[in-house]
Amino acid sequence: MTQSPDLRLVDPTEEIPEYPVELTEARMTSDYFTMFWHDRWLYSETCLKADLDVQGAALNLFFLARKQTPVGSLPDDSAVLASLLRIDIEQWGRLCGRAITPLNNWRRYRYGNKVILGHPIVIEVALDAVHRREVREAAQNDKATSMRLKRLGELMIEIGCDARMTQDKILLERLDAWLLENHVGQRRMPRFEASLNAALRHAVQMGWINGGR
């Protein structure tokens, strides 16, 4: 595809798809690792047919796009792209004059009121990274919650609660939620004991323990 020389504002009459909103989170740009499907690259049109210097520029653009905001995009600006590749604008122009260019299969997308470039494969890989991050964070949150509930049960026994109370998962989850909202600081004795007793009094008032008796 050919590329406009400057970043353009969106023409309201122009049919351009929106860039995936999931990739607008800035913290994704701090990732130091990205999955690379080498088989797809080795059998792609760019790898099979493009000149070697074009292939090198295309590969670098794939990885540079992962550091942009939104993630996986490139600016629709020749001068900026040349700068990202550390080449001059004349060399970039020569690369873009080939039968297959470094921007092969890159397309224009809307991002706010701007036009940016996106590649379907780069977007797919970035969305996969977002999904994997969410799964990883959910697993970490589940592990942290499990450890917190286990420690809460131990502390309840330490202050004299019936051990059977600590087997009530719903009660532990309710107490934990109350403590997260009302206790400031780490859950360390003896300071934590006052908060835990307050949580237990609240549990009785709410009928979470012994039907409120």
Side-chain angles (χ1 to χ4, degrees):
M1 69 180 269
T2 58
Q3 184 190 2
S4 63
D6 299 299
L7 190 67
R8 299 185 299 117
L9 296 178
V10 172
D11 180 348
T13 65
E14 191 174 0
E15 290 294 329
I16 302 177
E18 292 282 347
Y19 199 78
V21 67
E22 300 95 322
L23 300 181
T24 59
E25 186 179 348
R27 66 176 178 149
M28 286 290 295
T29 62
S30 64
D31 287 349
Y32 60 88
F33 169 83
T34 183
M35 182 182 296
F36 183 69
W37 290 328
H38 57 275
D39 280 348
R40 295 176 76 167
W41 163 251
L42 292 173
Y43 292 98
S44 68
E45 181 182 41
T46 302
C47 184
L48 291 173
K49 297 182 179 179
D51 297 329
L52 197 58
D53 53 352
V54 169
Q55 293 182 42
L59 271 177
N60 280 342
L61 288 176
F62 289 161
F63 295 122
L64 287 164
R66 284 302 302 271
K67 309 303 289 184
Q68 304 299 304
T69 302
V71 176
S73 71
L74 289 172
D76 191 19
D77 186 316
S78 293
V80 175
L81 291 174
S83 178
L84 287 171
L85 290 170
R86 298 186 178 91
I87 60 177
D88 57 45
I89 192 68
E90 289 76 18
Q91 186 177 357
W92 173 251
R94 289 192 293 273
L95 291 173
C96 289
R98 310 287 179 82
I100 298 178
T101 80
L103 292 177
N104 190 38
N105 286 330
W106 287 83
R107 305 163 188 175
R108 289 190 171 94
Y109 289 83
R110 292 173 180 262
Y111 174 52
N113 66 341
K114 301 279 190 350
V115 175
I116 58 174
L117 301 176
H119 190 289
I121 302 301
V122 178
I123 289 173
E124 183 181 345
V125 171
L127 287 172
D128 180 71
V130 170
H131 172 70
R132 290 174 183 273
R133 178 192 288 268
E134 290 173 348
V135 170
R136 185 168 61 250
E137 289 180 347
Q140 291 172 344
N141 289 338
D142 288 345
K143 182 178 179 181
T145 299
S146 178
M147 293 177 63
R148 204 169 56 244
L149 294 179
K150 180 176 182 295
R151 179 58 179 158
L152 177 58
E154 292 170 349
L155 292 173
M156 288 171 62
I157 291 176
E158 187 176 321
I159 66 171
C161 291
D162 190 318
R164 289 172 295 181
M165 292 171 59
T166 67
Q167 305 303 312
D168 186 340
K169 185 178 179 182
I170 294 177
L171 173 61
L172 289 179
E173 289 175 346
R174 286 172 168 174
L175 290 171
D176 180 59
W178 189 92
L179 288 162
L180 286 172
E181 187 173 337
N182 294 278
H183 176 75
V184 179
Q186 297 181 329
R187 299 184 180 186
R188 290 182 177 174
M189 294 298 199
R191 183 166 178 249
F192 181 61
E193 184 173 358
S195 294
L196 180 51
N197 279 319
L200 290 166
R201 287 195 297 271
H202 177 74
V204 171
Q205 293 169 2
M206 296 298 293
W208 301 343
I209 301 175
N210 296 332
R213 294 190 297 276

